[in-house]
Amino acid sequence: MRLSRAFIPTLKETPSEAQIVSHRLMLRAGLVRQHTAGIYNWLPMGARVLKNIEQIVREEQNDAGAQEIIMPTIQSGELWKESGRYDDYGPEMLRIKDRHDRDMLYGPTHEEVVTDIFRNNVLSYKDLPMNLYQIHWKFRDEVRPRFGVMRGREFLMKDAYSFDLTFEAAKHSYNQMFVAYLRTFARMGLKAIPMKADPGPIGGDMSHEFIVLAETGESAVYCHSAFLEKPIPLVVDYNSDLQEFVDIWTRDYAATDEEHDQAISKELGDKMIEARGIEVGHIFYFGQKYSDPMGAKVAGPDGEMVTPYMGSYGIGVSRLVGAIVEACHDDYGIIWPDTVAPYRVGLINLKVGAEETDKVCDKLYKDFSEGGLSALYDDRNERAGVKFSNMDLLGMPWQVIVGPKGLKNGTVELKRRATGERQELSLESVMSKLTAHHNAEKQSGAGG
RNA sequence: CGGAGCGUAGCGCAGUCUGGUAGCGCACUACACUGGGGGUGUAGGGGUCGUGGGUUCAAAUCCCGCCGCUCCGACCA
């Protein structure tokens, strides 16, 4: 994309409503604009990041054996009366009447709908286990939306729902999602720590929140320093027993503010990390809570009808954009991890209109796109300083700077946004270096 | 939902107390100079002052209603 043609409205000054750094930077870098309280427009840069994140989530869900579906945003109230939640859910649920005066609602979550799909279409234990997910917009009429997209009312969420014949099998489904989540967040360059969450009325220990550590996180969190060193599984056989791996990630202490035990802090001493965190995922097992009242049953091996055991697994996709900015920025702007960056490369032409620089930039721009490296080409007739600070604000992980000085020696400059490290390289080495990095990342599946 | 505050050009703000021609900086347009970290100058364009009513010769300014947004608390992917 040529910057001269791109719709990227940047701001020098921060709009007064933005309090936290991710919100400020997302507005300043032109990712989003607020439509109304807690509801956002996603402009081209924001939309690209959102799509990248969505795709990583999708790939990892598919790898883990989940199948993508799309459920409606507007739901019938009748299903919620069956599960009993129509009365329980409260004003957070946006309720609507259609023209026939029927009770409808904008879905805040989809347990009822997915259970309805299941009971109407799945008849035999042979179809289990089954895990269905979607990546779709939800609406929860929060009392007080804030922090930009981190606590919006409308938000993009990946929600998966598993169905199993037995508790043991359900536990395996839970573990599959657990591992998939570790991989998903790692691929985005995030350190996400699973913390035991309030298990709710079902009890047990099968509920975890995945928390990204960030200075400006919304809540205080506590965890053992061992979490910073734990391995992310690069290659996973999701059919194998994952319990051992899950145990590694759950044996050390980690708790959110509400669950925290101050005594353990003392016990762990300097091994205890006290930090701020952002919840980006939440998985839980809830057994027959919905399948039972809604009458979802399959025929078991012996012909008896069995009510399946369920779990649900959420990732806040739009929230992740904010969380990544919270975790990856400096005084100059955003520092996108390679895997989610709106463009991989920011190409800066320092002297637009000069034959040499124009020619080299055109060639690089073409080579990047042919090599599968998305590039944002700053071809505007602006001063160098404007382009540098603008590209730093936008946060492309690599910058390729083409100016008359370097070209005299046949070189261009490659800058790593995260470290500020700069190298003078020939055109060929720039291409090969970026391509090599890109390929290495694809192979490992966990770049960043 | 309790408490507090704010709505004036795309963004940041002044003007409101004490009523009298709607301003400043950035951004935007044009031209010139400049040209490796948000440069300089000149000339421009853009606002029914959130909205409805009231008081007044006269309302951004005073009074009343409504709408919207933000912040602090209790709640949440």
Side-chain angles (χ1 to χ4, degrees), chain A residues 100 168 217 223 245 435 448:
Chain A
H100 304 295
E168 278 308 312
C223 71
F245 199 87
T435 308

Side-chain angles (χ1 to χ4, degrees), chain A residues 330 335 392 397 413-423:
Chain A
D330 62 15
I335 305 172
D392 283 348
E413 194 171 308
L414 178 66
K415 175 179 159 185
R416 186 65 164 154
R417 174 69 179 84
T419 60
E421 181 196 351
R422 292 153 180 269
Q423 290 176 278

Side-chain angles (χ1 to χ4, degrees), chain A residues 122-124 165 288 295-308:
Chain A
V122 181
L123 307 172
S124 159
L165 198 60
Q288 299 167 317
K297 289 189 183 75
V298 295
D302 53 6
E304 292 291 304
M305 297 307 282
V306 181
T307 301

